[in-house]
Amino acid sequence: MRFLKLILAIVLVSSTVSAQTTHEYLGVITLSDSSFISYKLSFEETNGFIKGYSITDLSGPHETKSMITGTYDKDEKQLKFRESGIVYTKSPITQTDFCYIHFEGRLAKLNDRRKLAGTFVGKYDDGGSCIDGEIDMKSLVKIEKRAARLDKAVDKSILVSKEKKDAVNLLRTLDTLNTNFLRADEVVQVFSKDDSVTLTLTDVGQEDGDRISIYADDKVLVQNAAIGNKPQSFTIKLSSKPVTLKVEATSAGSIGANTVQLTLSDSLNVIEAITNLEKGESASMVLIKQ
């Protein structure tokens, strides 16, 4: 009987874990000055509470990832959330200058075909007001399905040349939007509450001889190292003084640009960035302890 109860308990726990679904939405923010900014939400819902992250200005010069927390009332069909802290940003602003979104809007059903829309107010870290606006989004699953259908229709069309078919691929464009590229001369500010973070390096896709050098301030982490599919990891200690990681491509390999995946992880977050550098180009990641 005890053995049977143990089996049932394991099954129930496994069912609970497997039932957890990540809900993703993609769309735009319309600010009160009528400008548009791309916006992505990714979160999990448990007993009406949601937790996840947002990304503003995907693949843009001000791309910023923030944590979100909130609630979803399935009876009232209402979603509320607020951004509560920056994970990383490519914008030169400091954390105290950032305008956090506080959103309230309608959502008929999580990951449903209906759109997510509503208004938000912007607030600084100290509670002061900044810019307000509206959010208009759709389920990423739905967007990907529609993109796949359009790509298939274009591929079958005899009116579109092969060159244009190769150049126009909506699914590939969506993948690009969802990828955090580290481009030449970019500076990414990464925030952590931990005393150290782990940096892991791997080559993306086929090994093609990509080589990089990485410096943590004046300390050499790797020098002209060949990065393969086997991960290489380093521990970087944090203090009150920011640590600057300079990433330099010493070789672009035999296939396209230098594409090494850098993964920074601490006890709360995992940040993945892929270099998109030519030989001799560099980018930086500034690690800031909160």
Side-chain angles (χ1 to χ4, degrees):
M1 181 62 70
R2 287 182 179 177
F3 181 72
L4 179 59
K5 287 182 178 179
L6 178 61
I7 294 295
L8 288 173
I10 292 174
V11 169
L12 287 172
V13 170
S14 300
S15 299
T16 302
V17 172
S18 62
Q20 192 73 8
T21 302
T22 298
H23 305 285
E24 293 187 300
Y25 293 84
L26 186 64
V28 294
I29 294 172
T30 305
L31 301 179
S32 54
D33 62 2
S34 299
S35 58
F36 293 89
I37 302 175
S38 59
Y39 198 63
K40 177 183 177 181
L41 286 176
S42 178
F43 61 84
E44 294 179 347
E45 182 267 341
T46 305
N47 298 325
F49 293 94
I50 69 167
K51 186 176 182 180
Y53 65 85
S54 66
I55 298 181
T56 310
D57 192 27
L58 285 84
S59 295
H62 300 286
E63 180 177 306
T64 300
K65 180 178 180 180
S66 304
M67 302 307 296
I68 65 166
T69 54
T71 59
Y72 176 64
D73 188 326
K74 64 180 180 180
D75 296 324
E76 296 294 330
K77 298 178 173 48
Q78 187 177 57
L79 179 73
K80 296 180 182 180
F81 72 83
R82 68 184 183 94
E83 295 174 333
S84 55
I86 300 176
V87 179
Y88 73 80
T89 182
K90 296 182 180 180
S91 180
I93 65 171
T94 64
Q95 190 177 28
T96 54
D97 294 329
F98 191 74
C99 186
Y100 293 102
I101 285 176
H102 291 63
F103 173 83
E104 182 174 329
R106 285 186 58 79
L107 180 59
K109 186 178 179 181
L110 291 178
N111 266 5
D112 192 53
R113 292 181 178 273
R114 299 183 182 91
K115 68 179 182 179
L116 164 59
T119 59
F120 71 86
V121 296
K123 294 184 179 181
Y124 291 115
D125 213 18
D126 62 2
S129 298
C130 44
I131 197 164
D132 302 335
E134 298 179 354
I135 290 178
D136 191 355
M137 313 185 77
K138 289 187 177 180
S139 165
L140 186 57
V141 172
K142 180 182 178 181
I143 294 173
E144 288 174 339
K145 287 181 178 178
R146 179 171 293 180
R149 289 197 300 269
L150 290 172
D151 284 341
K152 189 175 181 179
V154 170
D155 193 52
K156 288 183 176 180
S157 175
I158 61 173
L159 301 176
V160 182
S161 66
K162 185 179 185 306
E163 290 76 15
K164 289 184 178 180
K165 289 178 182 179
D166 292 339
V168 179
N169 187 293
L170 296 178
L171 280 178
R172 188 165 58 235
T173 301
L174 284 173
D175 286 340
T176 301
L177 282 176
N178 285 311
T179 302
N180 179 15
F181 285 110
L182 193 59
R183 297 179 173 87
D185 301 323
E186 275 191 335
V187 178
V188 182
Q189 298 181 74
V190 179
F191 298 88
S192 177
K193 295 182 179 180
D194 290 3
D195 294 327
S196 65
V197 296
T198 300
L199 172 67
T200 303
L201 310 175
T202 50
D203 197 359
V204 177
Q206 181 179 345
E207 294 186 14
D208 64 337
D210 283 335
R211 288 179 172 270
I212 63 173
S213 293
I214 298 182
Y215 308 89
D217 291 334
D218 297 326
K219 180 182 178 182
V220 177
L221 290 184
V222 293
Q223 182 104 45
N224 193 29
I227 307 300
N229 298 141
K230 184 178 179 180
Q232 301 180 38
S233 294
F234 305 87
T235 298
I236 302 171
K237 295 187 179 299
L238 303 181
S239 63
S240 57
K241 180 183 177 182
V243 177
T244 299
L245 293 181
K246 180 182 177 182
V247 183
E248 181 181 358
T250 54
S251 169
S254 59
I255 305 175
N258 182 293
T259 52
V260 173
Q261 179 168 298
L262 293 83
T263 303
L264 279 171
S265 57
D266 62 13
S267 60
L268 293 176
N269 299 300
V270 176
I271 301 170
E272 294 180 344
I274 298 176
T275 60
N276 188 9
L277 304 171
E278 299 298 335
K279 182 178 178 180
E281 293 182 336
S282 64
S284 300
M285 304 180 80
V286 180
L287 311 183
I288 301 171
K289 181 176 171 60
Q290 295 174 309

